[in-house]
Amino acid sequence: MRIGIVCPYSWDVPGGVQFHIRDLAEHLIRRGHQVSMLAPADDETPLPPYAVSAGRAVPVPYNGSVARLNFGFLSAARVWRWLHDGAFDVIHIHEPTSPSLGLLACWAAQGPIVATFHTSNPRSRAMIAAYPILQPALEKIRARIAVSEYARRTLVEHLGGDAVVIPNGVDVDFFADADPKEEWQGDTIGFIGRIDEPRKGLPVLMRALPKIFEARPGARLLVAGRGDEKEAVATLPAPLRERVEFLGMVSDEDKARLLRSVEVYVAPNTGGESFGIILVEAMSAGAAVLASDLDAFAQVLDGGAAGELFANEDADALAEAAVRLLGDADRLAELRERGSRHVRRFDWSTVGADILAVYETVTDGAASVAADDRLSLRARLGLAKSSPSGSTSQR
């Protein structure tokens, strides 16, 4: 199958959607499919061999964050050229309602279109206001996927219609087989995310650290992600700052090793999450997960059975739960075991098969419609079916 995938966000600023699209493309290629992925990217950004650049992106406030998107006449021309050259059997567009390549591709594409909706934002007035503009593009979509029940709810409430829920995928074995780093082991807490993005919740974790460090004198926090490190620890008492180690941006391999090394992975995100791929990665690596009780996080953690939850933005509740977990080896082992079993439902072997089933449904449907159209045309022209000799007769 020839598959075209459209990424809305800039490839040079990695995030959860980009990682999902990358892993999906590589899973499909391993399955023998031909895949081309179109994404915004600066000229100097290294791209995988299956990727095509749609040009430089610009920062735009979107869903409580700042997304780097690509929109305009030049981008539209590149989208059209990519679609024309690709001759795809199916086009898979991610976030088709964002002002980026997805919407441009929806407008320009012909043939079967599948769309994945990642956003969970129940108060999106902008999406409601933009519906008249989005409607002609959205009507071309043959099948809709939502990465969680909360992303599906956003879609239903703002745009109508429905979607099948297929979660983000993870290569579970990649994280499970990673080698821990000795220097990252011990009484360690892990955090991965953009340091200077408030909704990722690092300030909440920083407010909890004094109580955690007081109760656990040997505890440390390991932070991976880009941002201002000095500003991040500015609220901590000076003697405690040395117990926070910033690792900067880490490779996929080091992210897996970090998650394999820490005792507890903390996800203190405050909102705007539709899924929680980092929770799945942490469980895959065998880390015990402690997360804010966002609806999306609670769903990923099986209502709290595969990880512990604390009240959103409550630093005291976070500190109490972290201290309790770090001091309870049996509970840590229980969470690791439950998480490792639960996470298998998010492996690409399952998620990829579900997405391929959607592709096959829309392409089979397109073939059926095309056949019906040919029969209808023959009927309008007054042609009978071909005889065994290949001749036709007038009716």
Side-chain angles (χ1 to χ4, degrees):
M1 190 180 295
R2 293 180 62 86
I3 302 165
I5 301 177
V6 181
C7 175
Y9 304 138
S10 182
W11 204 254
D12 55 301
V13 182
V17 174
Q18 294 96 316
F19 290 144
H20 171 79
I21 291 170
R22 178 201 64 189
D23 291 349
L24 170 61
E26 293 174 1
H27 172 79
L28 294 170
I29 290 169
R30 288 194 299 271
R31 293 286 301 269
H33 300 281
Q34 298 180 53
V35 177
S36 177
M37 186 271 296
L38 183 70
D42 292 342
D43 292 340
E44 64 274 13
T45 300
L47 293 174
Y50 53 82
V52 175
S53 172
R56 183 183 298 271
V58 295
V60 176
Y62 184 70
N63 192 33
S65 181
V66 176
R68 290 177 58 81
L69 306 172
N70 187 304
F71 203 74
F73 291 113
L74 179 59
S75 301
R78 291 181 174 180
V79 167
W80 184 88
R81 186 182 310 117
W82 175 76
L83 290 168
H84 178 269
D85 294 345
F88 301 114
D89 298 313
V90 63
I91 300 157
H92 189 169
I93 298 172
H94 292 258
E95 296 288 46
T97 61
S98 67
S100 188
L101 298 179
L103 185 55
L104 292 173
C106 253
W107 280 332
Q110 302 295 325
I113 299 174
V114 173
T116 290
F117 295 81
H118 296 262
T119 300
S120 174
N121 187 0
R123 297 178 296 278
S124 179
R125 295 179 181 177
M127 191 181 291
I128 295 172
Y131 179 72
I133 300 172
L134 300 173
Q135 186 178 12
L138 295 175
E139 287 177 348
K140 298 172 71 175
I141 296 170
R142 297 273 178 85
R144 301 175 178 190
I145 297 170
V147 299
S148 70
E149 178 58 32
Y150 307 100
R152 188 194 74 84
R153 188 181 304 167
T154 296
L155 168 63
V156 171
E157 291 178 355
H158 294 115
L159 302 176
D162 208 342
V164 59
V165 176
I166 301 177
N168 288 323
V170 165
D171 183 350
V172 171
D173 289 337
F174 173 78
F175 290 91
D177 295 340
D179 292 324
K181 267 193 171 184
E182 185 176 352
E183 60 267 35
W184 290 344
Q185 292 181 298
D187 219 11
T188 50
I189 299 167
F191 171 91
I192 299 174
R194 291 185 289 277
I195 294 171
D196 49 8
E197 187 169 343
R199 74 183 181 95
K200 296 301 180 183
L202 186 58
V204 179
L205 179 53
M206 288 296 173
R207 293 199 301 271
L209 283 183
K211 289 187 176 180
I212 297 173
F213 287 164
E214 181 182 4
R216 305 290 301 182
R220 294 179 297 141
L221 171 65
L222 305 177
V223 178
R226 69 173 74 213
D228 190 327
E229 299 172 4
K230 291 183 178 180
E231 183 178 347
V233 296
T235 59
L236 274 182
L240 301 182
R241 295 175 190 175
E242 63 184 24
R243 294 168 66 180
V244 179
E245 182 178 352
F246 291 93
L247 306 175
M249 293 293 293
V250 295
S251 65
D252 290 344
E253 290 75 15
D254 278 343
K255 177 168 73 169
R257 297 186 72 182
L258 172 63
L259 293 172
R260 282 282 290 159
S261 302
V262 298
E263 292 283 354
V264 177
Y265 180 79
V266 176
N269 308 49
T270 61
E273 305 295 339
S274 62
F275 183 68
I277 192 69
I278 187 62
L279 307 187
V280 180
E281 292 171 341
M283 286 188 289
S284 299
V289 173
L290 173 61
S292 55
D293 61 353
L294 303 178
D295 287 344
F297 284 3
Q299 184 180 41
V300 169
L301 294 176
D302 197 21
E308 292 212 356
L309 299 164
F310 66 90
N312 186 21
E313 299 192 65
D314 189 334
D316 289 337
L318 192 168
E320 180 182 344
V323 170
R324 185 178 65 253
L325 281 176
L326 289 169
D328 190 342
D330 291 340
R331 178 60 175 159
L332 287 174
E334 179 185 20
L335 287 177
R336 292 188 189 105
E337 193 274 332
R338 287 185 178 182
S340 295
R341 280 192 287 109
H342 174 66
V343 81
R344 286 290 166 183
R345 70 188 64 188
F346 302 108
D347 189 69
W348 275 113
S349 60
T350 298
V351 173
D354 290 344
I355 293 174
L356 272 172
V358 174
Y359 292 170
E360 290 164 0
T361 298
V362 299
T363 53
D364 289 348
S368 176
V369 169
D372 289 345
D373 288 346
R374 287 194 296 271
L375 289 173
S376 176
L377 176 61
R378 295 178 68 85
R380 290 200 302 273
L381 293 175
L383 298 174
K385 293 182 179 179
S386 298
S387 67
S389 64
S391 63
T392 59
S393 60
Q394 294 287 337
R395 298 181 66 180

